[in-house]
Amino acid sequence: MKRMKYVGVLLIHLLICHVALAQQVKIIFDTDMDSDVDDVGALAMLHGFADRGDAAILAVMVSSLNPWSPGAVDVINTFYGRPDIPIGAVQRFGVYHKSRYAKALCEQFKHNTPPEGDITDATMLYRKILAAQQDTSVVVVTVGDLTNLSNLLKSAPDQFSGLEGIDLVKKKVKHLVCMGGRYPADTDPQPWGNFKPDPGATRHVAAEWPTRIYFTGGGAFADSIPTGNIFFQEKYRHTPMAHAYQLFLKSWNRKWHHSADIIAVYVAVKGYLPYFKSEERGYNHIFEDGTNVWRLAPRDDRHYLISAFADGADPGKIAEKFNEWMTPQGH
């Protein structure tokens, strides 16, 4: 009788574990981790979701040629107790951005990614990770340049999969969440943001990515959700996130920052409700220089825009919740 009871309890625990794993969103996070600090907040919140059982982080890809960026990613992964998350980076042909915090994080916090070390090619790692997953099970969220995603689409069959890159994406990816642009339009040709540093990659991904794309916006929309201020509290001031935010915001003379990349992570893991609404008319038109405008016609069934609040949503309350998810649990 006791044995049957033990078996029953064991089966219940196994069922609970199975359900929990099934509810986790499988995420590949693609970041530049250099010129802005909301990448740090976004990766921190992704780990917060993983701590709570909402997400499984399959890999982190770096779209920047800054040699300290992969190490900064590793610092955050290690701090959250996930030092073995695979990290890939763009090779040779990519965009280099300066960073106020990447090198400092690598020099002051534990990690295992020296700048002179061999970092796995992002395209190869994408193909390896995707090939091993169930069909339409992976959510990709990009908060940096779109170089890695363009390279993935153009990739050839290899030891991991006999499929061309675009077909591998179509088979394995559920959808893409892409932080970039300002809406309804960004016509400033200066090469800042995620779309304009590598405009060819941006145009390629917007035109050819074979699954649904949720574009999330920056600008005033992201500014209205001020986050990161929680890292200035005493109990968090010795964390890598606090160090990055303090270094980045020193010249701004403030203790908060916008939530552009953080919004994208929220949408990737939780969906856009209840805080935001989706624009399902039209498409994201990318010009040759990477500037963009959301045109309401014709309709592209792949393109969706998340750059406005749902009726009744309070940006201040959203910021409080985002800050809560960004903070470490038990670290």
Side-chain angles (χ1 to χ4, degrees):
M1 187 69 178
K2 288 183 178 179
R3 180 179 176 85
M4 291 179 64
K5 184 177 181 180
Y6 171 79
V7 171
V9 171
L10 179 61
L11 289 173
I12 290 172
H13 280 295
L14 289 173
L15 179 61
I16 292 172
C17 290
H18 175 75
V19 171
L21 288 172
Q23 292 175 339
Q24 288 183 328
V25 180
K26 296 180 179 181
I27 297 287
I28 297 178
F29 182 68
D30 202 313
T31 172
D32 47 10
M33 195 60 71
D34 52 25
S35 60
D36 208 336
V37 78
D38 57 329
D39 297 78
V40 171
L43 182 54
M45 191 164 82
L46 184 55
H47 278 285
F49 283 139
D51 286 347
R52 293 163 174 81
D54 295 327
I57 309 171
L58 302 181
V60 178
M61 309 298 182
V62 176
S63 62
S64 170
L65 288 175
N66 189 311
W68 300 97
S69 294
V73 167
D74 196 17
V75 163
I76 298 169
N77 292 348
T78 300
F79 174 81
Y80 277 94
R82 299 182 177 89
D84 298 326
I85 291 176
I87 299 172
V90 65
Q91 306 291 314
R92 295 182 62 191
F93 301 108
V95 178
Y96 173 85
H97 296 286
K98 293 181 179 180
S99 178
R100 299 179 187 178
Y101 60 84
K103 183 179 179 181
L105 290 187
C106 293
E107 291 176 338
Q108 297 196 31
F109 294 92
K110 182 180 179 181
H111 69 100
N112 192 33
T113 308
E116 69 277 6
D118 292 329
I119 305 299
T120 303
D121 173 68
T123 303
M124 184 180 76
L125 185 57
Y126 259 120
R127 292 186 60 86
K128 179 180 179 180
I129 296 293
L130 289 176
Q133 304 306 310
Q134 295 180 341
D135 292 355
T136 63
S137 66
V138 179
V139 174
V140 177
V141 53
T142 175
V143 297
D145 310 308
L146 275 65
T147 312
N148 287 331
L149 299 184
S150 179
N151 290 341
L152 171 60
L153 291 179
K154 293 183 288 188
S155 64
D158 57 10
Q159 69 269 36
F160 304 116
S161 173
L163 297 174
E164 301 283 344
I166 191 168
D167 295 319
L168 181 61
V169 169
K170 185 176 182 179
K171 183 177 177 64
K172 298 295 183 176
V173 173
K174 182 179 180 182
H175 57 254
L176 169 66
V177 179
C178 177
M179 190 279 130
R182 298 186 178 191
Y183 301 92
D186 174 10
T187 56
D188 184 344
Q190 297 183 73
W192 47 263
N194 295 340
F195 284 177
K196 291 176 282 189
D198 188 351
T202 303
R203 285 168 58 84
H204 180 216
V205 172
E208 301 296 336
W209 189 267
T211 76
R212 180 175 294 190
I213 307 173
Y214 291 97
F215 292 97
T216 65
F221 171 61
D223 284 340
S224 63
I225 305 176
T227 51
N229 48 307
I230 196 166
F231 293 130
F232 289 83
Q233 294 182 7
E234 176 65 24
K235 63 179 176 179
Y236 299 122
R237 72 184 183 93
H238 296 297
T239 66
M241 296 77 70
H243 195 56
Y245 271 83
Q246 289 162 8
L247 287 173
F248 186 86
L249 293 174
K250 185 177 181 180
S251 64
W252 295 58
N253 195 30
R254 71 185 194 194
K255 295 183 177 181
W256 63 272
H257 201 46
H258 66 72
S259 297
D261 295 351
I262 297 161
I263 292 167
V265 166
Y266 172 81
V267 172
V269 176
K270 294 287 193 176
Y272 61 88
L273 296 174
Y275 301 137
F276 311 113
K277 60 183 177 182
S278 172
E279 174 60 79
E280 301 182 1
R281 299 170 295 172
Y283 73 106
N284 200 4
H285 182 83
I286 313 295
F287 296 97
E288 289 188 5
D289 61 357
T291 56
N292 73 289
V293 60
W294 190 270
R295 292 179 171 170
L296 295 179
R299 173 71 184 128
D300 186 328
D301 290 336
R302 297 171 306 122
H303 287 200
Y304 293 77
L305 176 62
I306 312 297
S307 192
F309 293 102
D311 293 341
D314 181 345
K317 296 294 184 182
I318 297 172
E320 290 177 7
K321 200 64 181 176
F322 281 8
N323 270 327
E324 177 186 332
W325 283 321
M326 287 164 60
T327 52
Q329 302 294 301
H331 295 279

